[in-house]
Amino acid sequence: MMSTLSATPGQTVGPFYGYALPIAGGNELVPPRTPGAIRLHGQVTDGAGTPVPDALLEIWQADADGVVPTETGSLCRDGWTFTGWGRAGTDGEGRYTFSTVKPGPVQPGSAPFIAMTVFARGLLNRLFTRVYLPGPHLADEPLLSSLPVDRRESLIAVPDDDGLRFDIRLQGEHETVFLRFPGHMP
């Protein structure tokens, strides 16, 4: 007797991120009290403005001199090697935080940014965005210049008393601009 089985889905939608993927110290690219350390923090919300309590965020960035690290060992924090990579989950209110450094521009005249990827329940694929640091260097940034003026602000972190705030809105009014790269399936 032969039976037909259903194919296993290509990706199982969580919310499993909070159980298996966060790593101890994964959100600390540098220890919080390191000279030059900044706090990048914010909240992830859905289209209705409801906090997403089980999202997972990853960041990649250059160091303060604009050098993209090529060191191995991103998952094994040693307290002094800056690997430019971090991972943080959101809490019950959709909040996240990273301890890192302000990245320098990777090319002369370019605007420094932090690349961010968002994983969350209901997303069949990850979302890519950028976190630009505020300042005059944004005026000639090609990506920002290609966007309508009212959409640019969704990619720019806002200074506050705790560091730099970057909120992520997954859809709806004030949705964060998400990027698509060659070979990336929507």
Side-chain angles (χ1 to χ4, degrees), residues 87-173:
R87 178 184 284 163
T90 56
D91 67 11
E93 295 300 315
R95 295 178 301 236
Y96 72 90
T97 186
F98 288 97
S99 175
T100 188
V101 298
K102 286 185 179 181
V106 295
Q107 299 174 29
S110 68
F113 67 90
I114 298 170
M116 183 177 279
T117 302
V118 181
F119 300 86
R121 63 186 149 98
L123 297 177
L124 296 179
N125 210 332
R126 63 200 182 274
L127 300 173
F128 300 99
T129 192
R130 283 185 175 183
V131 181
Y132 284 99
L133 280 61
H137 52 272
L138 298 177
D140 297 324
E141 171 55 38
L143 176 63
L144 290 176
S145 297
S146 73
L147 298 172
V149 174
D150 64 327
R151 300 286 289 133
R152 295 175 190 172
E153 68 184 35
S154 77
L155 295 180
I156 303 170
V158 178
D160 68 8
D161 292 340
D162 294 322
L164 292 172
R165 184 175 178 103
F166 184 76
D167 292 331
I168 300 163
R169 182 77 176 248
L170 296 177
Q171 61 180 316
E173 189 175 355

Side-chain angles (χ1 to χ4, degrees), residues 69-82:
T70 57
E71 300 292 329
T72 59
S74 293
L75 294 173
C76 301
R77 304 281 193 233
D78 63 15
W80 61 86
T81 305
F82 182 78

